[in-house]
Amino acid sequence: MPVSARRAGVRGLTAELECTVAELRLLEARGRRFVADISHELRTPLAAMTAVTDVLDLEEENGDALHLISEGTGRLSGLVNDLMEMARFDAGAAELHRNEVDLAESVRCTLASRQRRTRWTPGRPDRARCARPWTRAGSTW
């Protein structure tokens, strides 16, 4: 095979590779935008749900079902906040601030949460005590 034919083949493969990379970058940008949009759209109704369940959660007679709904809403809010934070990191609008984590307390909160899903008990850990141990620039979660 002559050298000119090889060069033409390499140029064709290079152009194809560049086109594929451009398509992948476009898909990645669309994916990031999708995550950011979904996070923002979910945040508003979740904030309303959280406010309602927090108020109802204060009344003892509302029962186990409400406590499960309240916890589920809290977990879902946490996931949406995580998605928003990932979108901020991707956009370069946030930076990671590392904090020490009490691993034993984190495990206790996780186990207590799993136990409450099967059977709620009045001695459950306080939400504030089992808060997220990471932060974003300027605030603590």
Side-chain angles (χ1 to χ4, degrees):
M1 179 182 251
V3 173
S4 62
R6 286 187 201 156
R7 285 184 183 157
V10 169
R11 276 192 290 262
L13 288 174
T14 301
E16 186 177 326
L17 181 60
E18 287 174 355
C19 182
T20 301
V21 168
E23 287 176 18
L24 288 173
R25 285 185 178 149
L26 178 64
L27 289 173
E28 181 184 19
R30 285 180 182 167
R32 287 180 180 168
R33 185 65 195 169
F34 175 77
V35 167
D37 289 346
I38 289 296
S39 300
H40 285 283
E41 291 298 323
L42 289 174
R43 193 173 202 184
T44 301
L46 275 173
M49 290 169 54
T50 300
V52 169
T53 57
D54 284 349
V55 168
L56 293 174
D57 208 13
L58 296 174
E59 300 174 17
E60 292 293 324
E61 69 273 359
N62 283 329
D64 296 348
L66 180 63
H67 293 293
L68 292 174
I69 291 170
S70 181
E71 288 176 357
T73 303
R75 281 193 303 278
L76 188 54
S77 292
L79 291 172
V80 169
N81 287 335
D82 291 346
L83 282 173
M84 290 183 71
E85 194 67 15
M86 286 189 291
R88 286 186 197 106
F89 281 120
D90 284 345
E95 58 184 67
L96 181 64
H97 294 276
R98 296 177 186 210
N99 291 334
E100 289 187 18
V101 174
D102 183 347
L103 186 58
E105 182 63 21
S106 181
V107 169
R108 277 192 292 276
C109 289
T110 300
L111 292 174
S113 174
R114 293 184 59 81
Q115 182 182 19
R116 283 191 305 278
R117 281 187 222 149
T118 57
R119 184 180 57 99
W120 182 81
T121 57
R124 66 189 176 124
D126 185 11
R127 281 188 202 152
R129 193 171 140 228
C130 294
R132 296 171 166 280
W134 53 87
T135 64
R136 64 183 176 132
S139 69
T140 302
W141 290 45

